[in-house]
Amino acid sequence: FASCIEANKKISSELIDNGAEISVLGEDIFNFGEIVQGEKIDVEFLIKNTGDGDLIISDVNTSCGCTVPSWPNHVIKKGVTEKVRVSFNSEGKIGPQSRKVTLQTNATPSIKILTITGTVIVPKNQ
């Protein structure tokens, strides 16, 4: 089998299932309340490696293109806290909103889900 993964992006086998644990400091659900349609919000989640091994976030997926994540793309050592940032664009949205941000990691379990919720209201001038 041939691999399309670049050599510098390979994850060392000793980092897979090595005792890393991911914990969210605070809540894993953030409610932004009400925002006016067209506004953008930025949310930060604090995550910590509470395990004994090195933590790697290998990928982050969102439930909508209106939600853009930013995460640490390096090894997170034992005891280190990092930020996962999420930007939500309410353009074209209306009413209650709930967006999932799925972190894929080398921790056990390997998936951690963060959620942002809130309500998008119509601007008063419409």
Side-chain angles (χ1 to χ4, degrees), residues 69-88:
S70 173
W71 66 94
N73 61 357
H74 55 271
V75 172
I76 302 169
K77 296 290 187 184
K78 174 183 176 180
V80 173
T81 300
E82 293 282 353
K83 295 177 184 175
V84 173
R85 293 178 175 90
V86 181
S87 293
F88 171 72

Side-chain angles (χ1 to χ4, degrees), residues 2 57 68 77 108:
I57 301 173
V68 179
K77 296 290 187 184
T108 302

Side-chain angles (χ1 to χ4, degrees), residues 15-77:
L15 295 177
I16 297 171
D17 195 22
N18 69 348
E21 289 183 29
I22 185 170
S23 296
V24 178
L25 302 180
E27 298 296 321
D28 56 2
I29 299 174
F30 180 86
N31 186 326
F32 58 79
E34 285 187 350
I35 60 173
V36 176
Q37 186 181 51
E39 288 183 345
K40 295 179 183 177
I41 61 154
D42 295 315
V43 176
E44 286 185 348
F45 292 93
L46 291 177
I47 59 163
K48 183 174 184 176
N49 180 358
T50 54
D52 292 325
D54 292 339
L55 175 66
I56 295 173
I57 301 173
S58 57
D59 199 10
V60 177
N61 297 300
T62 61
S63 58
C64 175
C66 61
T67 309
V68 179
S70 173
W71 66 94
N73 61 357
H74 55 271
V75 172
I76 302 169
K77 296 290 187 184

